[in-house]
Amino acid sequence: MPAKISIENVRLFGVASDVSKLIQGHNVEITKVYFSRETPIEEICEKLGNPDIIIAGSMITYDRELFRRLPRLKAVIRWGVGYDNIILEDATMEGVIVSRLPPYLLNDAVAEQTVALMLSLLRKIPQAHEFVKKGGWRISSNLNEFEQLVGESLEDKVIGFIGLGAIGFRVLELIKPFRPRLILVYDPYVSRDFIRLSGAVAASSIDELLTYSDIITIHAPLTVETEKLLSMEQFKKMKKGVYIINTARGKIIDTDALLWALENGIVKAAALDVFDPEPIPPDHPILKMENVILTPHIAFAASKTCKMMDEYAIEEALRILRGERPLWILNPDVLKRDNLRAKIRVG
Ligand code: NAD
């Protein structure tokens, strides 16, 4: 019987690669499944079809109940880097391996999108595009509208980084040639020396970063510590007219507080690739705000990156099915457990 790999809510899986070639010669079958956050757990399990491996998106939460309802499941592989939707302790207790893709696969793509969003915000590219498309580029057009397209440059800005890991560091490298006035970093888990050698200055607290930054870009993971890290209290401490870019996780920002800050001119404009909730409901007020750029969690989605993500995910799945140690395992303790569901040759 072929092993079953279910691809859960990963719309871009297979878009940039030939999946049939990736599994050629292996006794596996692949099914793509989709459901929403509201889908009842019984229906989720039915659609997943009791798979051996799940290549997972970031939509649903993987917890003990789900693992118990999928007795054949040996591993969940995140088609991405962030794994905040998988409860590692539950997976370990249930003998399920959790793995993800190596961060270096996505760094460049996410960093490029971050810089693109930053420049689009400052130079008002969506507004200029809209202006031309609706026929505004005529001598007789409204001069006031034309004047409003004047943007700002990075050169005189203080750019604040929340998180300086793989993606944050790449963004920092990309923006240095724009000669920003100062790059400030808040990352309690990175040494001051590393920050200094990167050409930045370590903020002694999140408050210091909020107070001095003209642009804030978020590159931290979603954790208990970072959930709603930017809430009302923090927005009130920000410089009036700050720009915000978030390509990390939506839940790091309190959405209602952000709306308030946008409406009250504290945040001049924001660019969000990630949002809370995802997908954004069609009647959400953020969709009507002209000073907000939104992209649908696609910062990673450059074709070369997507192709490599498919290849790495399938290779990791096949490795586990062959009984080899997964390369990108997040819960290595599971390999020592008696109830480990995969037959991995350890040692
Ligand atoms: P990483 O683990 O290399 O870096 C994260 C950095 O955040 C680390 O340096 C860590 O010390 C720091 N950090 C942790 N807690 C912090 C806190 N409380 N305050 C400030 N900094 C803190 O991860 P990465 O590869 O750079 O990715 C960052 C995040 O980007 C991921 O966790 C993921 O959620 C998100 N991401 C989004 C996309 C997308 O398409 N939008 C794609 C990939 C990753």
Coordinates of all heavy atoms in Angstrom, one line a residue, residues 81-82 84 103 106-107 110 162-168 186-190 219-223 225-226 229 247-249 273-274 297-300, ligand 1:
V81 N 8.6 28.3 7.4 CA 9.5 28.4 8.5 C 8.8 28.6 9.9 O 9.2 27.9 10.8 CB 10.4 29.7 8.3 CG1 11.3 29.9 9.5 CG2 11.3 29.5 7.0
G82 N 7.8 29.5 10.0 CA 7.1 29.7 11.2 C 6.3 28.4 11.6 O 5.7 27.8 10.7
D84 N 4.2 28.3 14.6 CA 3.4 28.6 15.7 C 2.1 27.9 15.8 O 1.4 27.9 16.8 CB 3.3 30.1 15.8 CG 3.0 30.7 14.4 OD1 1.8 30.8 14.0 OD2 4.0 31.1 13.7
P103 N 15.4 27.7 7.2 CA 15.1 29.1 7.0 C 15.8 29.7 5.8 O 15.3 30.6 5.2 CB 15.5 29.8 8.3 CG 15.4 28.7 9.3 CD 15.7 27.4 8.6
L106 N 14.0 30.6 2.5 CA 13.1 31.7 2.4 C 13.6 33.1 2.6 O 12.9 34.0 2.2 CB 11.9 31.4 3.3 CG 10.9 30.3 3.0 CD1 11.5 29.0 3.4 CD2 9.6 30.5 3.7
N107 N 14.8 33.1 3.2 CA 15.3 34.5 3.6 C 15.2 35.5 2.5 O 14.7 36.6 2.7 CB 16.8 34.4 4.0 CG 17.0 33.5 5.2 OD1 16.1 33.1 5.8 ND2 18.3 33.2 5.4
V110 N 11.6 36.6 1.4 CA 10.9 37.4 2.3 C 11.5 38.7 2.5 O 10.9 39.8 2.6 CB 10.7 36.6 3.7 CG1 10.0 37.4 4.7 CG2 10.1 35.3 3.5
I162 N 12.4 44.7 14.8 CA 12.0 43.8 15.9 C 12.3 42.4 15.4 O 11.7 41.8 14.6 CB 10.5 43.9 16.2 CG1 10.2 45.4 16.6 CG2 10.1 42.9 17.3 CD1 8.8 45.6 17.0
G163 N 13.5 41.9 15.9 CA 13.9 40.5 15.5 C 15.0 40.7 14.5 O 14.9 41.3 13.4
L164 N 16.2 40.1 14.8 CA 17.3 40.1 13.8 C 17.8 38.6 13.6 O 18.9 38.3 13.9 CB 18.4 41.0 14.3 CG 19.5 41.3 13.2 CD1 19.0 42.1 12.1 CD2 20.7 42.0 13.9
G165 N 16.9 37.8 13.1 CA 17.3 36.4 12.8 C 17.6 36.4 11.3 O 18.2 37.3 10.7
A166 N 17.3 35.2 10.7 CA 17.7 35.0 9.3 C 17.1 36.0 8.4 O 17.9 36.7 7.6 CB 17.3 33.6 8.9
I167 N 15.8 36.3 8.5 CA 15.2 37.2 7.6 C 15.5 38.7 7.9 O 15.9 39.5 7.0 CB 13.7 37.0 7.5 CG1 13.3 35.6 6.9 CG2 13.0 38.1 6.7 CD1 11.9 35.2 7.1
G168 N 15.5 39.0 9.2 CA 15.8 40.4 9.6 C 17.2 40.8 9.2 O 17.4 41.9 8.7
Y186 N 15.8 45.6 18.1 CA 15.4 45.1 19.4 C 15.3 43.6 19.2 O 14.4 43.1 18.4 CB 14.1 45.6 19.8 CG 13.5 44.9 21.1 CD1 14.2 45.1 22.3 CD2 12.5 44.0 21.0 CE1 13.7 44.4 23.4 CE2 12.0 43.3 22.1 CZ 12.7 43.5 23.3 OH 12.3 42.8 24.4
D187 N 16.2 42.8 19.8 CA 16.2 41.4 19.8 C 16.9 40.9 21.0 O 18.1 40.9 21.1 CB 16.8 40.8 18.5 CG 16.6 39.3 18.3 OD1 16.5 38.6 19.4 OD2 16.6 38.8 17.2
P188 N 16.1 40.5 22.0 CA 16.7 40.1 23.3 C 17.6 38.9 23.2 O 18.3 38.5 24.2 CB 15.5 39.9 24.2 CG 14.3 39.8 23.4 CD 14.6 40.4 22.1
Y189 N 17.5 38.1 22.1 CA 18.2 36.9 22.0 C 19.5 36.9 21.1 O 20.1 35.9 20.8 CB 17.3 35.7 21.6 CG 16.1 35.6 22.5 CD1 14.8 36.2 22.1 CD2 16.2 35.1 23.7 CE1 13.8 36.1 22.9 CE2 15.1 35.0 24.6 CZ 13.9 35.5 24.2 OH 12.8 35.5 25.0
V190 N 19.8 38.1 20.7 CA 20.9 38.3 19.8 C 21.9 39.3 20.6 O 21.5 40.2 21.2 CB 20.5 38.9 18.5 CG1 21.6 39.5 17.7 CG2 19.8 37.8 17.7
H219 N 10.3 41.1 12.4 CA 11.0 39.8 11.9 C 11.2 38.8 13.0 O 12.1 38.1 13.0 CB 12.3 40.1 11.2 CG 12.1 41.1 10.1 ND1 11.5 40.7 8.9 CD2 12.4 42.4 9.9 CE1 11.4 41.8 8.1 NE2 12.0 42.8 8.7
A220 N 10.3 38.9 14.0 CA 10.3 38.0 15.1 C 9.3 36.8 14.9 O 8.4 37.0 14.1 CB 10.0 38.7 16.4
P221 N 9.5 35.7 15.5 CA 8.5 34.6 15.4 C 7.3 34.9 16.3 O 7.4 35.8 17.2 CB 9.2 33.4 15.9 CG 10.2 33.9 16.8 CD 10.6 35.3 16.4
L222 N 6.2 34.3 16.0 CA 5.0 34.4 16.9 C 5.3 33.5 18.1 O 5.4 32.2 17.9 CB 3.7 34.1 16.2 CG 2.5 34.1 17.1 CD1 2.2 35.5 17.6 CD2 1.3 33.6 16.3
T223 N 5.4 34.0 19.3 CA 5.5 33.2 20.5 C 4.6 33.8 21.6 O 4.0 34.8 21.3 CB 7.0 33.3 21.0 OG1 7.3 34.6 21.4 CG2 8.0 32.8 20.0
E225 N 5.6 35.4 24.0 CA 6.2 36.7 24.3 C 5.8 37.7 23.2 O 5.7 38.9 23.5 CB 7.7 36.5 24.2 CG 8.4 36.8 25.5 CD 9.9 36.5 25.2 OE1 10.4 36.7 24.1 OE2 10.5 36.1 26.2
T226 N 5.7 37.3 22.0 CA 5.6 38.3 20.9 C 4.1 38.5 20.5 O 3.8 39.4 19.7 CB 6.4 38.0 19.6 OG1 5.9 36.7 19.1 CG2 7.9 37.9 19.9
L229 N 2.6 42.0 20.7 CA 3.7 42.8 21.2 C 3.5 44.2 20.9 O 3.9 45.1 21.6 CB 5.0 42.3 20.5 CG 6.3 42.9 20.9 CD1 6.7 42.6 22.3 CD2 7.5 42.5 19.9
T247 N 6.0 41.3 7.9 CA 6.0 40.1 7.0 C 6.3 38.9 7.9 O 6.6 37.8 7.4 CB 7.1 40.2 5.9 OG1 8.4 40.5 6.6 CG2 6.9 41.3 4.9
A248 N 6.1 39.1 9.3 CA 6.4 37.9 10.2 C 5.1 37.1 10.5 O 4.8 36.2 9.8 CB 7.1 38.4 11.4
R249 N 4.4 37.6 11.4 CA 3.1 36.9 11.8 C 2.1 38.0 12.2 O 2.4 38.9 13.0 CB 3.3 35.9 12.9 CG 3.9 34.6 12.5 CD 2.9 33.8 11.7 NE 3.4 32.5 11.3 CZ 4.0 32.3 10.1 NH1 4.3 33.3 9.3 NH2 4.4 31.1 9.8
D273 N 1.9 41.8 5.1 CA 1.8 40.5 4.3 C 1.1 39.5 5.2 O 0.6 38.5 4.6 CB 3.2 40.0 4.0 CG 3.1 38.8 3.1 OD1 2.5 38.8 2.1 OD2 3.7 37.7 3.5
V274 N 1.1 39.7 6.5 CA 0.4 38.8 7.4 C -0.6 39.6 8.2 O -0.4 40.8 8.4 CB 1.5 38.1 8.3 CG1 2.3 37.1 7.5 CG2 2.4 39.2 8.9
H297 N -0.1 36.9 2.5 CA 0.9 36.0 3.1 C 1.7 35.3 2.0 O 1.8 34.1 1.9 CB 0.3 35.0 4.0 CG 1.2 34.3 5.0 ND1 0.8 33.9 6.2 CD2 2.5 34.0 4.9 CE1 1.9 33.4 6.8 NE2 2.9 33.5 6.0
I298 N 2.3 36.2 1.1 CA 3.1 35.6 0.0 C 4.5 36.2 -0.1 O 5.1 36.1 -1.1 CB 2.4 35.9 -1.4 CG1 2.0 37.4 -1.5 CG2 1.2 35.0 -1.6 CD1 2.0 37.9 -2.8
A299 N 5.0 36.6 1.1 CA 6.4 37.2 1.1 C 7.4 36.2 0.6 O 8.4 36.6 -0.1 CB 6.7 37.7 2.4
F300 N 7.2 34.9 0.8 CA 8.1 33.9 0.4 C 8.0 33.5 -1.1 O 8.8 32.8 -1.6 CB 7.9 32.6 1.3 CG 6.5 32.0 1.0 CD1 6.3 31.1 0.0 CD2 5.4 32.4 1.7 CE1 5.1 30.6 -0.3 CE2 4.1 31.9 1.4 CZ 4.0 31.0 0.4
Ligands
NAD1 P1 14.6 33.4 12.9 O1 14.3 32.4 14.0 O2 15.9 33.2 12.1 O3 14.7 34.8 13.6 C1 13.7 35.3 14.5 C2 14.5 36.3 15.3 O4 13.5 36.9 16.2 C3 15.6 35.7 16.2 O5 16.8 36.4 16.1 C4 15.0 35.8 17.6 O6 16.0 36.0 18.6 C5 14.1 37.0 17.5 N1 13.1 37.1 18.6 C6 12.5 36.1 19.3 N2 11.7 36.6 20.2 C7 11.8 37.9 20.1 C8 11.2 39.0 20.9 N3 10.4 38.7 21.9 N4 11.5 40.2 20.5 C9 12.3 40.5 19.5 N5 13.0 39.5 18.7 C10 12.7 38.3 19.1 O7 13.4 33.4 11.9 P2 13.3 34.0 10.5 O8 13.6 33.0 9.5 O9 14.1 35.3 10.4 O10 11.7 34.3 10.3 C11 11.1 35.3 11.2 C12 9.6 35.0 11.1 O11 9.2 35.4 9.7 C13 9.2 33.6 11.2 O12 9.1 33.1 12.5 C14 7.9 33.5 10.4 O13 6.8 33.7 11.4 C15 8.0 34.7 9.5 N6 8.0 34.3 8.1 C16 7.0 34.8 7.3 C17 7.0 34.5 5.9 C18 6.0 35.1 5.0 O14 5.9 34.6 3.9 N7 5.4 36.2 5.3 C19 7.9 33.5 5.4 C20 8.9 33.0 6.3 C21 8.9 33.4 7.6

